[in-house]
Amino acid sequence: MVSTETGTLFLHPDRNLALELVRATEAAAIRAVPFIGRGDKLGADGAAVDAMRKFLGTVNFAGTIVIGEGEKDQAPMLFNGEVVGNGHGPECDIAVDPIDGTSLTAAGRQNAISMIAAADRGAMLDAHSVFYMDKIVTGPEGVGVVDIRQPIGENIRALAKAKGKAVGEMYIGVLDRPRHEQLIADIRAAGAGTRLLLDGDVAGGINAASYEGRLDMCVGIGGSPEGVATACAIKALGGLIQTVLEPKTDDEKQRGLDAGLKFDHVYEADELVKGDNTFFVATGVTDGMLVRGVQRKGPIIRTESIVLRARSGTIRRVTADHQTSKWLGDDFGSR
């Protein structure tokens, strides 16, 4: 931050930005509510994208979306490279997912969130050319103890010892995918329990890194964009995240090499997002282990959000009541 004759000019994201960004995740979550359990993934995602983009346009910053909807959801808005904000204030890298868990929302299942991560401009790894990465996430006890290059059984036993827990008391989050069949078998063979995630490994990773979380570790192959966004949160929690890129084809690997990405390389938190000036905000769409979902309570809509800031190491929970008449009116239904 520097002073000028006309006032103060912020060159980097400041602490107020997170509380501005939470307005955008609240809006996206609220707009997604009519689609919960309706089987319409695209409808839910479209409503959330539109709401988030409109609110981001009012924020005092110049944000460049490094991780956006992009090809993943065939989205015409909030795409990689799009500039958001009103153009005044700090320049930032932005990672957005208006709904992390569109399938969960469409099915009416738990753990769907709306999320935004932010960092100084140029801080986030641009890994969009390689869609998947292998990940391991733990709380602070895993730092210097867990290593993604070790067999999962060794990591579980080492982390259990560091946490003062029996291996049988350890719970490991894994996306429920065919590709994880052997990983799940190995976790159980080590004596730990699994918590299979239908979707939403961002929430799973944050839960594993939180001191009150229900998970001890979150592992497995998931989206590269989600890995970078998760790193912004893990920095605020003091936890561990390690990732290895997992290209599915030779062409995808070549695109990654052309983009300057490294393979057979463990990306640590500081490579996924540089520095400690990172923010992560998320609002619950449906109830989950991280935050509660949107609720209708008479004339108000209640949202619950989590706001993480790495520089200060703070975790804030924000509960907000919104007048229903200002939002969806009769479209909100009886939820």
Side-chain angles (χ1 to χ4, degrees), residues 206-246:
I206 295 171
N207 188 270
S210 301
Y211 73 96
E212 289 186 329
R214 302 175 192 173
L215 301 177
D216 296 289
M217 183 188 297
C218 195
V219 296
I221 296 171
S224 297
E226 288 83 355
V228 177
T230 303
C232 291
I234 300 309
K235 285 199 158 195
L237 296 167
L240 171 136
I241 180 169
Q242 294 177 329
T243 69
V244 177
L245 292 168
E246 292 282 343

Side-chain angles (χ1 to χ4, degrees), residues 50-113:
D50 184 59
M52 179 176 282
R53 188 170 185 266
K54 286 178 179 176
F55 268 77
L56 285 176
T58 71
V59 177
N60 288 322
F61 78 138
T64 299
I65 295 179
V66 176
I67 299 166
E69 290 288 275
E71 297 177 1
K72 174 172 68 77
D73 293 313
Q74 298 180 337
M77 297 186 296
L78 297 179
F79 54 84
N80 294 347
E82 182 176 357
V83 177
V84 293
N86 63 14
H88 303 291
E91 295 186 355
C92 309
D93 281 354
I94 301 293
V96 301
D97 199 340
I99 305 180
D100 181 31
T102 51
S103 296
L104 301 176
T105 303
R109 295 192 173 111
Q110 293 189 335
N111 293 317
I113 61 172

